[in-house]
């Protein structure tokens, strides 16, 4: 892989960490948009902090992976991909397409992080 491609994947992986840290903070702060979106897809408000823990663990795992523990970063990226696949699925199941771009964006960032750690692990 070229240096440019590696740098791009690294940059998107760092963006994935930042995006997840932002949404974890919004989840824990019980931001209005988080609670409204969660209600639209059928999630109870008391579930939101537990989902924040999962996203936070994924972001932390990516950071640890970037710090040199590549297998942990890879595992965290897999976990985030699965998490956001479920989020997209929840939007589809509930027919909430107005806000589906957000879980799709987070899914794309997570897939990019997974790609980065897959390439680094080789």
């Amino acid at each position: 892989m070229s240096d440019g491609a590696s740098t791009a994947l690294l940059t998107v992986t760092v963006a994935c960490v930042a995006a997840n840290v932002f949404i974890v903070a919004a989840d824990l702060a019980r931001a209005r948009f988080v609670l409204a979106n969660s209600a639209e897809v059928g999630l109870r408000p008391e579930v939101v902090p537990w989902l924040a823990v999962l996203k936070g663990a994924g972001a932390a795992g990516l950071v640890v992976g970037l710090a040199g523990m590549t297998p942990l970063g890879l595992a965290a990226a897999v976990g985030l991909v699965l998490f956001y696949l479920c989020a997209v699925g929840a939007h589809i199941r509930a027919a909430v397409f107005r806000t589906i771009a957000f879980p799709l964006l987070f899914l794309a960032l997570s897939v990019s992080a997974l790609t980065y750690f897959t390439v680094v692990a080789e």
Side-chain angles (χ1 to χ4, degrees), residues 13-52:
T13 300
V14 171
C16 183
V17 171
N20 276 285
V21 167
F22 167 78
I23 199 62
V24 166
D27 287 352
L28 295 177
R30 301 178 56 82
R32 216 174 329 151
F33 76 93
V34 169
L35 295 177
N37 193 41
S38 298
E40 274 192 284
V41 297
L43 288 175
R44 296 183 322 264
E46 58 269 15
V47 175
V48 172
W50 295 105
L51 298 178

Side-chain angles (χ1 to χ4, degrees), residues 16-122:
C16 183
V17 171
N20 276 285
V21 167
F22 167 78
I23 199 62
V24 166
D27 287 352
L28 295 177
R30 301 178 56 82
R32 216 174 329 151
F33 76 93
V34 169
L35 295 177
N37 193 41
S38 298
E40 274 192 284
V41 297
L43 288 175
R44 296 183 322 264
E46 58 269 15
V47 175
V48 172
W50 295 105
L51 298 178
V53 168
L54 294 174
K55 291 180 265 191
L62 294 180
V63 170
V64 171
L66 290 171
M69 292 187 64
T70 304
L72 187 56
L74 181 63
V78 168
L80 286 171
V81 167
L82 293 173
F83 182 93
Y84 289 113
L85 279 172
C86 290
V88 169
H91 277 72
I92 292 169
R93 177 188 51 80
V96 177
F97 301 108
R98 185 176 51 81
T99 56
I100 199 168
F102 295 104
L104 284 171
L105 172 63
F106 280 88
L107 177 59
L109 290 170
S110 300
V111 168
S112 296
L114 177 59
T115 304
Y116 174 77
F117 283 109
T118 300
V119 170
V120 169
E122 290 180 346

